[in-house]
Amino acid sequence: MAYSQPPKKAGLPREVLKWLQSLDLSFFPKNVRRDLSNGYLVAEIFSWYFPRDFHMHSYDNGASLATKQSNWSQIERFFEKQNISLLKEVIDGTIHCKPGAAELLVQDIYTFLTNRRIQTIQRVEQDFTDKAYQDQLPMVARATASVAIKSNLSLSEVIAEPNIITNQRKVLAIIHRQIEQRKEERTQDPKRFNVKPTLGEQAVRLPPLAYQSDPNLQMNTSQAAC
């Protein structure tokens, strides 16, 4: 499923919120990122439409990684059985509480179950990072590289995928994004970073020697400018 205009990370469209309230769930997701991560509410939502496939006694409303993986493995088997196409990145992002992932997921579920199009489309970073939040902060308050790694690579994500090389690549991607952001900041505010102009930028730009020695070229240029 493609996301040309993904939803905003902070909140859900009004029609989706009204739909969730109409389902009479065991509890309302006040924090979508946290409350949908273990899959319990997702299973409960589908149980209203597919009661024969979802038996809530098979799901645990816990917070451990093992509980999340158990719940989501059952849900994903149902998705495969019903040919429901949801991006694996969105599901994994929801499990690990990535910014914007749970919002994308619940809006896709809304579209699939109700066959309605969402009227108010909201935007979010599709890479499920905190870049949008960091961009809103002043430069002095933005995260350092170490904080960025901690914020964008959760412990549950490392435990779920213990491969050292895979996690190293994730860390390097975060560091690379941090370096690019810092380069952009240095360009936007060179005084703050004490960026001095290079010799090339300080050099006086003179016209070519042939232009200086030939008055006809200077006259033609001035006439063309007029």
Side-chain angles (χ1 to χ4, degrees):
M1 187 175 293
Y3 301 103
S4 57
Q5 288 182 319
K8 185 180 175 183
K9 74 172 183 178
L12 292 169
R14 181 174 298 177
E15 56 264 42
V16 178
L17 291 173
K18 288 183 177 180
W19 169 68
L20 290 174
Q21 291 173 340
S22 69
L23 296 178
D24 192 23
L25 300 173
S26 57
F27 66 96
F28 188 80
K30 296 181 179 179
N31 186 323
V32 178
R33 188 184 307 176
R34 178 196 63 203
D35 295 338
L36 267 69
S37 64
N38 65 3
Y40 183 86
L41 275 184
V42 176
E44 191 174 1
I45 291 171
F46 275 95
S47 69
W48 283 91
Y49 294 86
F50 301 91
R52 295 183 178 181
D53 295 287
F54 285 86
H55 306 284
M56 293 311 300
H57 61 79
S58 301
Y59 296 87
D60 182 15
N61 188 19
S64 68
L65 178 61
T67 297
K68 294 180 180 182
Q69 291 176 329
S70 175
N71 289 346
W72 277 104
S73 64
Q74 297 181 69
I75 296 172
E76 288 184 275
R77 284 197 297 269
F78 170 78
F79 287 168
E80 185 176 356
K81 177 182 176 182
Q82 297 292 330
N83 293 322
I84 300 176
S85 177
L86 291 177
L87 289 178
K88 180 65 174 175
E89 292 81 359
V90 177
I91 295 176
D92 289 342
T94 301
I95 294 173
H96 303 302
C97 299
K98 294 286 187 176
E103 289 81 359
L104 280 172
L105 179 74
V106 73
Q107 292 191 52
D108 276 332
I109 293 173
Y110 167 83
T111 302
F112 171 76
L113 293 177
T114 64
N115 198 26
R116 299 174 186 171
R117 297 185 62 183
I118 298 176
Q119 300 299 322
T120 55
I121 299 297
Q122 303 177 1
R123 296 182 178 274
V124 74
E125 290 296 323
Q126 282 185 270
D127 55 1
F128 306 136
T129 66
D130 64 346
K131 183 179 184 303
Y133 170 72
Q134 293 294 328
D135 290 341
Q136 296 174 2
L137 297 175
M139 291 183 184
V140 294
R142 291 177 183 175
T144 60
S146 60
V147 174
I149 294 172
K150 183 179 179 181
S151 301
N152 294 285
L153 186 62
S154 64
L155 178 60
S156 63
E157 192 174 358
V158 176
I159 297 174
E161 179 55 71
N163 187 284
I164 296 177
I165 297 178
T166 301
N167 289 320
Q168 284 179 340
R169 290 174 179 172
K170 293 179 181 179
V171 171
L172 289 175
I174 295 172
I175 293 175
H176 175 73
R177 185 170 62 248
Q178 191 75 6
I179 293 174
E180 293 300 319
Q181 183 182 32
R182 185 53 59 92
K183 288 181 179 179
E184 183 179 348
E185 292 174 358
R186 290 171 67 89
T187 303
Q188 294 174 352
D189 191 0
K191 291 183 179 180
R192 177 175 180 268
F193 294 94
N194 195 26
V195 178
K196 298 180 180 179
T198 63
L199 292 176
E201 294 172 340
Q202 293 179 342
V204 179
R205 303 301 181 189
L206 298 176
L209 293 176
Y211 177 87
Q212 298 181 39
S213 60
D214 192 341
N216 293 328
L217 289 175
Q218 300 178 18
M219 184 179 299
N220 293 337
T221 304
S222 61
Q223 290 176 356
C226 297

